[in-house]
Amino acid sequence: MPSGDPSIPHLTPISGIEIGVDVFVAELEKAGSPISEATRQAYESDLRQFARFLHTVVAGPTVTSIEVGAVRAFCNHLQTQGRGPRTLARKLASVRALHRFLQKRDLSSVDPTAGVKLPGMASDSAGLARDDVETLMCLPDESYLGTRDRAILELLYGTGIRLSELLALNLSSVDVEAASIHVIGPRQRTVPLGVHAVSAIRSYLRQRAEALLDRQVEDLDVGALFLSSRGRRLRSRSVQRIVERYLLKLTARDGGAHGPGVLRSAFAEHLTESGADAAGVAALLGTQNATATGTSADPQGLRERYLRAHPRV
């Protein structure tokens, strides 16, 4: 991968794993990256630990020599150190992000994290911590359906919209330039989007256009934002299954709530924890008349409060 920065080494299939980590981290540091500084630091710390460990199980590990057994061994090593399931999930997500980066650059044809399953995580709460959300958004892959799923997760958490409101979204509902969506329903409203949600939607729309290129227009719900693999507007149960699948991967819980409502609740909880006022959160959620709270008279003020408070902006 040629680079204009002489401090960034050239990356090839036989480059050592440390060089792969260096180049990946350098990409995350570039201006305009949707990754927060805290997330970048977590990626770097996790991946440098992973690289050090690889030297104990692989002779001269390169970016293309990592196999699923080495990743499993890393996870087992972390367990023996007493690391909790959520820490393991985060570190595995970091390794997965590195290999997606390598795959995008045609330096790796497989993802060695794909066959790794983490032990169950006991939890007495259906809620999601902020670290959980960071990990959750790394779980979908880079395929057309994977980018669609990530966009769904980012929108549900980034806007707090209801499942029914997500299903009703059309392409015309989204304004990526203004970073907002217009929610259709009993509580019609315009909700701001953070940088992560905008990035996820852009990626999905690019892959959506490519995936539908050779389809017959009459067979598609072309106006709908989120489509099934057959090109039809997604149904309620389909989105529930999508969200449940990723939440179960994250938490491995057998009981409790796993549906879209978990992300809506996390949206409200995390905004409130960050100091957002209750009236503004209620207006964004569509649970309170915006006129009654005065927020409709000051949409820019509402947006500014959202951008100050939401964790993924």
Side-chain angles (χ1 to χ4, degrees), residues 1-3 5-12 15 18-20 22-23 26:
M1 188 188 79
S3 172
D5 186 344
S7 67
I8 300 176
H10 180 57
L11 188 58
T12 73
S15 296
E18 290 86 358
I19 293 178
D22 287 343
V23 176

Side-chain angles (χ1 to χ4, degrees), residues 148-200:
R148 179 203 65 187
D149 294 351
R150 182 180 292 109
I152 287 173
L153 295 172
E154 289 282 10
L155 269 183
L156 288 171
Y157 176 70
T159 65
I161 58 175
R162 300 173 177 86
L163 173 58
S164 59
E165 293 170 335
L166 179 100
L167 294 170
L169 289 175
N170 295 318
L171 290 172
S172 58
S173 307
V174 182
D175 188 336
V176 291
E177 298 303 324
S180 65
I181 60 168
H182 182 68
V183 180
I184 305 166
R187 297 285 190 185
Q188 293 195 34
R189 60 200 184 279
T190 298
V191 181
L193 297 174
V195 63
H196 292 279
V198 170
S199 176

